[in-house]
Amino acid sequence: MVIGVKKPVYVAKPSLAPLREFNKYLAAIWESGVMTNNGPLVQQLETELKEYLNVEHVICVANGTSAIQLAIQALNLEGEIITTPFTFIATANIISWERCTPVFVDIEPDTWNIDADKIEEKITKNTTAILPVHVFSAPCQVEKIESIAKQYGLKVIYDAAHAMAVEKNGKSLLEFGDVSAVSFHATKIFNTCEGGACITQNPVLAERLKRMRFFGFNENKDIVDRGLNAKMTEISAALGLANLKYLNQVRENRKRKYLLYQKELGQLSTISFQKYIFDEYNFSYIPILFDNKEITVSVIKMLNANQIFPRRYFNPSLNLLKIFDSDICLPVSEKVAESILCLPLYDDLEEKMILKICKIVRDVN
Ligand code: T4K
């Protein structure tokens, strides 16, 4: 059955401020000629993000992957890093890229985040850190993870790529851990085209992260540390400044659309939604878990036939990838990864399209 759909509908589409607002910042760049190297717009974005999130230090960087990379370097990590297999490839790849070993721990069956109760059994004398992901913005068990980390003297880096604009216990979720690494990629709820940030409450670590993203230079351009080039450009910062003004609006709008999906699909006995706490979620994705892989594949086929392109975030479970040389079986993650599907969700996705998508999903089930 193909229901009339003209333009392709993708899983994501960037949230963009009105062009004229971006242009105002671009005009300033054209005037000054300052395009990069931690210029005034990057500094302004860091200040505005700090205020928006109510956190101590925001260090804007080139992308979410380099935010994790810098955190690993700044904390001098080596050996084994405990992480989740249910995430985007970037999380485990950057651990391995930094010559550390990702050690996968299975996930909770309802939140799909790392199962904190299974972390301790994977800690060895070589473990230096825990790197959980707040997947689709649902907070991990941050208190439990903090207490394990304290007990064993481990560092904690949160891959908070999805977790912009989420609060837990009245404070930004990004305050937890030694560093939170956020992504501002084009497909994220808040975007700077490519971009990301390290968030930390630790001033010494913040200074190190700033140096390391800039070849190891200090403010006087003395070379005082190791480093790489992970700077955000002024053009990205300009887009961020324009987009930040709309972030609350974008979040509210996505929440409405998410809830419409939930209302339309909630009665289906073959699906479940991620478990989340209403006020601790940013509704930037609409992940649906089907009972089995066969239904997921049939739904994808039928949506594709209607020019609708959902995505299997995150399939496969990363422990199954040969590149990580891990021969363990993680049944919960493998099962979730096999049957998960993220449906389209973005600002100008029309309600009638959501209703169509839900009808197709219901018809297959
Ligand atoms: N940790 C986690 C948990 C992450 O999810 C990610 C990234 C990272 C770390 C790393 O952060 P970054 O280094 O990327 O900042 C997309 C994004 O590229 C990636 O950032 C994101 N997670 C991941 C979940 O989704 P793909 O491979 O699905 O991208 P792509 O190009 O297939 O885009 C998906 C859809 O979005 C397209 O069908 C159309 C739409 N789109 C895409 C782009 C690039 C647009 O409308 N405009 C665009 O410019 O990874």
Side-chain angles (χ1 to χ4, degrees):
M1 172 224 12
V2 177
I3 305 177
V5 175
K6 294 174 206 118
K7 278 204 306 192
V9 173
Y10 297 108
V11 67
K13 192 173 162 190
S15 297
L16 293 171
L19 187 56
R20 63 177 184 285
E21 297 190 24
F22 180 41
N23 279 340
K24 274 196 299 198
Y25 292 105
L26 288 186
I29 297 173
W30 259 241
E31 178 64 27
S32 70
V34 179
M35 302 203 71
T36 187
N37 289 5
N38 309 318
L41 296 183
V42 166
Q43 289 175 37
Q44 189 182 337
L45 180 61
E46 290 180 342
T47 304
E48 290 194 15
L49 284 171
K50 206 165 98 78
E51 280 164 16
Y52 179 87
L53 297 165
N54 198 14
V55 294
E56 290 294 328
H57 305 280
V58 175
I59 298 101
C60 284
V61 295
N63 52 59
T65 307
S66 55
I68 305 172
Q69 180 178 27
L70 284 167
I72 291 173
Q73 282 288 339
L75 291 165
N76 296 316
L77 299 184
E78 51 186 23
E80 295 170 6
I81 298 182
I82 290 177
T83 192
T84 170
F86 185 65
T87 179
F88 191 56
I89 181 62
T91 317
N93 245 352
I94 199 65
I95 292 174
S96 168
W97 188 261
E98 286 302 318
R99 307 266 180 236
C100 296
T101 306
V103 174
F104 298 112
V105 166
D106 212 348
I107 58 170
E108 297 170 336
D110 47 9
T111 67
W112 311 331
N113 279 326
I114 193 166
D115 189 337
D117 293 334
K118 294 185 177 151
I119 289 178
E120 277 187 271
E121 63 201 53
K122 291 289 177 76
I123 295 175
T124 71
K125 62 179 186 343
N126 298 322
T127 310
T128 54
I130 310 172
L131 201 160
V133 179
H134 303 298
V135 77
F136 306 128
S137 87
C140 296
Q141 285 195 47
V142 285
E143 285 95 1
K144 174 120 210 212
I145 291 169
E146 192 175 306
S147 116
I148 297 171
K150 259 203 191 122
Q151 191 185 338
Y152 291 89
L154 305 176
K155 300 294 183 191
V156 179
I157 300 171
Y158 281 105
D159 178 338
H162 306 168
M164 189 63 183
V166 178
E167 293 205 335
K168 176 142 187 81
N169 306 338
K171 59 182 191 179
S172 171
L173 181 59
L174 306 175
E175 275 194 32
F176 292 90
D178 293 281
V179 181
S180 285
V182 199
S183 167
F184 302 152
H185 181 263
T187 53
K188 298 292 188 289
I189 188 167
F190 167 74
N191 89 84
T192 60
C193 177
E194 288 279 0
C198 292
I199 315 283
T200 180
Q201 302 297 93
N202 176 333
V204 177
L205 198 51
E207 282 312 307
R208 182 152 210 225
L209 288 161
K210 278 187 200 161
R211 297 196 295 264
M212 284 188 142
R213 76 171 164 189
F214 193 26
F215 310 111
F217 285 137
N218 69 8
E219 277 171 3
N220 302 322
K221 279 286 181 76
D222 303 318
I223 304 158
V224 292
D225 211 335
R226 293 177 294 115
L228 75 164
N229 181 357
K231 287 165 279 144
M232 176 181 275
T233 70
E234 288 289 282
I235 294 188
S236 279
L239 185 57
L241 286 164
N243 284 343
L244 188 57
K245 298 187 175 59
Y246 293 87
L247 178 52
N248 290 345
Q249 201 174 307
V250 166
R251 188 178 177 281
E252 281 310 301
N253 185 17
R254 289 191 187 212
K255 180 158 89 183
R256 274 195 300 278
K257 294 181 202 298
Y258 183 106
L259 295 177
L260 179 59
Y261 269 118
Q262 204 166 35
K263 173 168 163 274
E264 290 295 309
L265 296 175
Q267 303 307 318
L268 276 182
S269 59
T270 50
I271 69 163
S272 38
F273 293 88
Q274 184 178 25
K275 183 178 170 199
Y276 65 92
I277 294 172
F278 198 75
D279 293 329
E280 297 180 359
Y281 203 54
N282 68 16
F283 303 92
S284 50
Y285 293 87
I286 172 80
I288 306 285
L289 183 64
F290 292 95
D291 268 1
N292 57 58
K293 177 179 158 192
E294 287 66 37
I295 308 180
T296 312
V297 171
S298 304
V299 168
I300 295 172
K301 227 167 140 187
M302 200 51 79
L303 289 171
N304 288 175
N306 283 277
Q307 290 293 297
I308 298 162
F309 300 96
R311 290 296 281 272
R312 296 179 82 181
Y313 298 137
F314 293 102
N315 176 273
S317 181
L318 298 184
N319 58 301
L320 299 176
L321 290 180
K322 284 208 171 65
I323 52 168
F324 297 123
D325 233 2
S326 146
D327 57 2
I328 47 165
C329 167
L330 298 172
V332 184
S333 178
E334 288 170 31
K335 174 92 178 82
V336 172
E338 196 171 78
S339 307
I340 195 86
L341 194 63
C342 280
L343 297 173
L345 185 60
Y346 49 84
D347 300 355
D348 58 356
L349 180 67
E350 292 180 354
E351 275 198 6
K352 65 177 191 230
M353 178 54 70
I354 295 179
L355 297 178
K356 261 180 194 168
I357 293 171
C358 292
K359 177 165 179 5
I360 294 169
V361 173
R362 280 196 308 265
D363 286 352
V364 175
N365 279 266

